[in-house]
Amino acid sequence: MKNQNLDIAILLERCAANDEKAQLALYNRYYKAMFNVSYRIISDHALAEDIIQECFLKAFKKLDSFSGNVTFGAWLKKIVVNASITELKKTNKYPVESISDGMEIADWEAEESINYNELKVETVLKTIQSLKPNYKIILTLFFIEGYDLEEITGILNITNENCRTMMSRAKESLRNKMSQL
């Protein structure tokens, strides 16, 4: 692991000096993972590819702002997630629901009749992809990308209450679709 971190550090130094071979090596190392992140949010292969290209260009130009407090992959992933969500907002594929103040948040621990031990990952991922765009995004960020609700609130630029309600509704929608399988 330490050798890989050292290798990345050397690649980053060379990238900062505009070494195209180092940039290509870094691109090849992270492309597939970053494409998957964008594709899970965008659900459009060509658009996800375009976003990834732009994100790598942005990352190479902004390497001086990479502090090293997190891994390069985590830093790049944040750029990709933000760019993907921005693209969804631009194309109006991501309508953010607002909630009324008097609405109650559904119980996340509701009675569940699904045997989750028997579910296949592919089935769950396909079901998430079939949900409404805002539900798909919040579940992807939470379950697949590993962001917590506070981080999601910041990424989506929504209130904490709206985030919790959207998460609750998204989970309920996922439960309903999974029970129909």
Side-chain angles (χ1 to χ4, degrees):
M1 180 80 167
K2 289 189 179 193
N3 286 340
Q4 185 177 5
N5 288 340
L6 180 62
D7 187 32
I8 293 292
I10 292 169
L11 278 176
L12 290 173
E13 283 179 25
R14 291 175 47 200
C15 286
N18 293 321
D19 181 336
E20 291 178 7
K21 287 183 182 179
Q23 290 174 341
L24 181 60
L26 204 61
Y27 176 86
N28 287 334
R29 181 170 289 180
Y30 287 99
Y31 168 78
K32 187 173 183 174
M34 296 303 124
F35 172 81
N36 288 335
V37 168
S38 182
Y39 183 74
R40 282 191 295 264
I41 294 170
I42 295 291
S43 298
D44 181 317
H45 192 276
L47 189 54
E49 292 233 355
D50 290 345
I51 290 169
I52 295 306
Q53 298 298 321
E54 293 298 321
C55 288
F56 272 100
L57 289 173
K58 183 177 184 178
F60 291 144
K61 287 179 185 174
K62 302 282 186 178
L63 271 179
D64 58 330
S65 68
F66 174 62
S67 64
N69 293 338
V70 295
T71 64
F72 176 76
W75 182 73
L76 183 60
K77 181 178 172 182
K78 184 167 181 129
I79 293 171
V80 170
V81 167
N82 289 335
S84 299
I85 290 173
T86 299
E87 184 60 34
L88 277 179
K89 288 178 181 177
K90 273 197 260 181
T91 59
N92 292 322
K93 290 183 180 177
Y94 175 64
V96 177
E97 293 180 356
S98 42
I99 58 170
S100 63
D101 293 338
M103 192 173 285
E104 291 183 31
I105 297 175
D107 182 14
W108 290 17
E109 304 299 325
E111 182 180 328
E112 300 176 17
S113 60
I114 303 170
N115 183 353
Y116 291 103
N117 294 327
E118 295 178 10
L119 291 177
K120 295 193 181 211
V121 173
E122 296 84 20
T123 305
V124 175
L125 290 174
K126 280 183 181 177
T127 306
I128 288 173
Q129 291 297 318
S130 72
L131 297 175
K132 291 172 39 175
N134 54 339
Y135 292 174
K136 177 185 84 165
I137 290 170
I138 200 165
L139 291 177
T140 298
L141 291 174
F142 187 75
F143 288 123
I144 299 170
E145 303 306 332
Y147 289 105
D148 63 27
L149 290 178
E150 186 176 319
E151 292 170 315
I152 294 170
T153 298
I155 290 169
L156 298 179
N157 195 24
I158 57 178
T159 65
N160 188 35
E161 293 80 14
N162 198 357
C163 186
R164 289 182 171 281
T165 300
M166 192 184 320
M167 178 64 78
S168 177
R169 290 177 183 171
K171 286 180 176 180
E172 185 59 33
S173 182
L174 179 62
R175 275 189 212 102
N176 288 339
K177 285 203 176 216
M178 293 302 297
S179 67
Q180 295 172 2
L181 297 179

